[in-house]
Amino acid sequence: MSMLYIKEEEAGKLLPMSVALEAVEEVLRLHGQGKAVNITRSRVRLPNNVLHVMSGGVPDLNITGLKAYTTTRQGARFVVLLYQADTGECLAMIEADKLGQIRTGATSGVATRYMAREEARTVGIIGTGWEARAQIAAMSVVRDITSVKAYSRSPENRQTFADDILAAHGITVTPVETAEEATRDVDIFITITGADDPLMDGAWLAPGTHIIPRAGDLVKMLVHVFGKG
Amino acid sequence: MSMLYIKEEEAGKLLPMSVALEAVEEVLRLHGQGKAVNITRSRVRLPNNVLHVMSGGVPDLNITGLKAYTTTRQGARFVVLLYQADTGECLAMIEADKLGQIRTGATSGVATRYMAREEARTVGIIGTGWEARAQIAAMSVVRDITSVKAYSRSPENRQTFADDILAAHGITVTPVETAEEATRDVDIFITITGADDPLMDGAWLAPGTHIIPRAGDLVKMLVHVFGKG
């Protein structure tokens, strides 16, 4: 048999968020039960390049594989190698930028499914890029989202994001002028921006808000939230 | 630009031992000078499969990459992903069974170049598989090899090995009936067999013999050799 090569544009079309979300939930559950292997990321650090590699496998799914990506001044390039465990065959090489965005969104979706209030309907989001789109897609799978407030530094990007989300999910997005507007009075609050500081203040968060922070924002948010006392 | 895919049969033809040997020597030298990154092997261990991944990079060569291989009851499958460091592009995916055999041979060649006696001319080898062929190819690059004695359990394999080495390098190989014959009175002694125990005894080794043991045979040989004291 021969290895499939799946390009970015195909990967995005082949994997609906609802499917990714169920897959991520299944593998998280298996991992929690000690039925999955996860090897932490290694990094080859050169002056102008970092090669990141992570690998893992799931016996129940008969699958093992790795993700490798290079980061340079020109950006990041991602591939996944997927193997059939019992035969050791490489089934597919998958360009994995889009795949990673969907997987990141799906992970937020699983957390939201189990940790947000059942009646959560409104989302505030800081960041309006591709990853932000995947986050909203995931929210719409696990909750009946009725409205989104979106903030990013560029008014154009906010509007394009609003147009795209309406087209993709039929959800109305209100582009807002400040991070504070996106943070106040929402059931689910997401930061997913390349900005160094998402400009949020924990004092703006309503009690009971389900928070999905970027990795780097988590500690800061905890300080804000617990600082409110 | 697009990624090259290099299959086993091409990899073997594209990489002469002399070229591999110079490449391995250069990278070993750079690594010794702290100018190469080498990330130790990680392993995803499933009940029926192990996925092994190792990665590294060399700034002076503008190259980074990884080798991944699965081992199952059906055998091993190897691939290398090779990246251009400055752009982060994946230049090639290379099926790497043959490549690994050549690289292993080349590493022995570099060691022999610097550690064997200048006048070493004769080789004894236990094992007559593909890796054994690469070892003899490497020896012939760094020393003027005049004769080889080869032992393996199968008389047929010994003879095929002798025929192949004569055809490839013009070196006469004498298939021998015992491991002892292959070990006695040689300048260079190599064990490279899948057998659990290469059946060698350190007492058979002449002083001054350059030894190239399989990883698993090294400690046993040291015990033999120093036991002779």
Side-chain angles (χ1 to χ4, degrees):
Chain A
M1 74 145 281
S2 63
M3 184 187 78
L4 274 176
Y5 188 94
I6 301 178
K7 296 180 86 74
E8 282 299 347
E9 56 270 29
E10 297 167 313
K13 286 176 200 156
L14 289 168
L15 185 61
M17 178 57 74
S18 56
V19 173
L21 205 147
E22 298 312 321
V24 167
E25 179 168 339
E26 182 178 6
V27 171
L28 287 172
R29 181 176 290 118
L30 288 167
H31 188 251
Q33 295 168 344
K35 295 179 180 175
V37 179
N38 184 40
I39 304 283
T40 37
R41 195 166 346 210
S42 69
R43 292 188 170 91
V44 177
R45 297 179 190 278
L46 305 191
N48 57 1
N49 184 302
V50 182
L51 171 63
H52 317 247
V53 183
M54 52 247 258
S55 53
V58 187
D60 285 6
L61 302 178
N62 194 24
I63 284 292
T64 187
L66 65 88
K67 179 174 181 174
Y69 59 102
T70 52
T71 47
T72 68
R73 254 165 261 130
Q74 298 187 27
R77 290 161 182 269
F78 305 83
V79 293
V80 163
L81 298 185
L82 190 71
Y83 289 87
Q84 184 172 327
D86 57 356
T87 63
E89 281 178 312
C90 187
L91 299 173
M93 182 171 187
I94 307 168
E95 295 181 1
D97 188 10
K98 198 79 190 165
L99 183 62
Q101 292 163 11
I102 296 170
R103 190 274 336 272
T104 301
T107 309
S108 294
V110 175
T112 302
R113 172 175 278 167
Y114 291 101
M115 300 170 76
R117 287 177 287 125
E118 274 299 328
E119 68 276 18
R121 295 285 177 271
T122 63
V123 176
I125 190 164
I126 296 181
T128 57
W130 289 107
E131 297 234 43
R133 284 162 170 76
Q135 294 291 319
I136 300 299
M139 296 304 108
S140 76
V141 171
V142 297
R143 287 293 182 276
D144 183 17
I145 303 300
T146 54
S147 70
V148 173
K149 295 190 285 182
Y151 173 74
S152 65
R153 287 163 296 180
S154 149
E156 292 73 23
N157 289 351
R158 288 176 224 158
Q159 189 55 54
T160 306
F161 179 76
D163 295 343
D164 289 354
I165 296 297
L166 183 63
H169 307 289
I171 296 170
T172 301
V173 177
T174 307
V176 294
E177 301 287 318
T178 64
E180 180 173 356
E181 288 174 86
T183 314
R184 286 195 183 276
D185 299 316
V186 293
D187 300 325
I188 298 169
F189 176 64
I190 303 169
T191 62
I192 189 139
T193 161
D196 285 342
D197 187 335
L199 300 170
M200 69 79 69
D201 182 331
W204 302 334
L205 288 165
T209 304
H210 177 64
I211 302 173
I212 304 175
R214 287 189 312 184
D217 297 335
L218 179 60
V219 170
K220 190 165 51 182
M221 285 197 196
L222 288 173
V223 169
H224 281 309
V225 171
F226 288 99
K228 283 171 68 179
Chain B
M1 71 147 285
S2 61
M3 186 187 77
L4 274 176
Y5 189 94
I6 302 179
K7 295 179 88 72
E8 283 298 347
E9 56 269 29
E10 298 168 313
K13 287 178 199 152
L14 289 167
L15 185 60
M17 179 56 74
S18 55
V19 173
L21 206 147
E22 298 312 320
V24 167
E25 179 168 339
E26 182 178 6
V27 171
L28 287 172
R29 180 175 289 118
L30 289 167
H31 188 250
Q33 294 169 345
K35 294 179 179 174
V37 179
N38 184 40
I39 304 283
T40 37
R41 195 168 344 210
S42 69
R43 291 188 171 91
V44 177
R45 296 180 191 276
L46 305 192
N48 56 0
N49 183 302
V50 182
L51 171 63
H52 315 248
V53 183
M54 51 247 260
S55 53
V58 187
D60 285 7
L61 302 178
N62 194 27
I63 285 291
T64 187
L66 65 89
K67 179 174 182 173
Y69 60 102
T70 52
T71 48
T72 69
R73 256 166 259 130
Q74 299 188 25
R77 292 162 180 268
F78 304 83
V79 293
V80 162
L81 297 185
L82 190 73
Y83 288 87
Q84 183 172 329
D86 57 355
T87 64
E89 280 178 311
C90 187
L91 299 173
M93 182 173 189
I94 308 169
E95 294 181 2
D97 188 10
K98 199 80 191 163
L99 183 62
Q101 293 163 8
I102 297 172
R103 191 276 333 274
T104 302
T107 309
S108 294
V110 174
T112 303
R113 171 176 278 168
Y114 290 101
M115 299 172 77
R117 286 177 290 124
E118 273 300 328
E119 67 276 19
R121 295 283 177 273
T122 62
V123 176
I125 189 163
I126 295 180
T128 57
W130 289 108
E131 297 232 45
R133 287 162 169 76
Q135 294 290 319
I136 300 299
M139 296 303 108
S140 76
V141 171
V142 297
R143 287 294 182 275
D144 184 15
I145 303 301
T146 55
S147 70
V148 173
K149 294 191 287 183
Y151 173 74
S152 66
R153 287 161 297 178
S154 151
E156 291 72 27
N157 289 351
R158 290 177 221 156
Q159 189 56 55
T160 307
F161 180 75
D163 296 344
D164 288 356
I165 296 297
L166 183 64
H169 306 291
I171 297 170
T172 301
V173 177
T174 305
V176 294
E177 302 287 319
T178 64
E180 181 172 355
E181 287 175 85
T183 315
R184 286 197 184 275
D185 299 318
V186 294
D187 300 326
I188 298 168
F189 176 64
I190 302 169
T191 62
I192 187 141
T193 162
D196 285 343
D197 187 334
L199 300 171
M200 67 81 68
D201 182 331
W204 301 334
L205 287 165
T209 304
H210 177 65
I211 301 173
I212 304 175
R214 288 188 311 184
D217 297 335
L218 179 59
V219 170
K220 190 165 51 181
M221 287 198 194
L222 288 173
V223 169
H224 282 309
V225 171
F226 287 101
K228 282 171 68 180

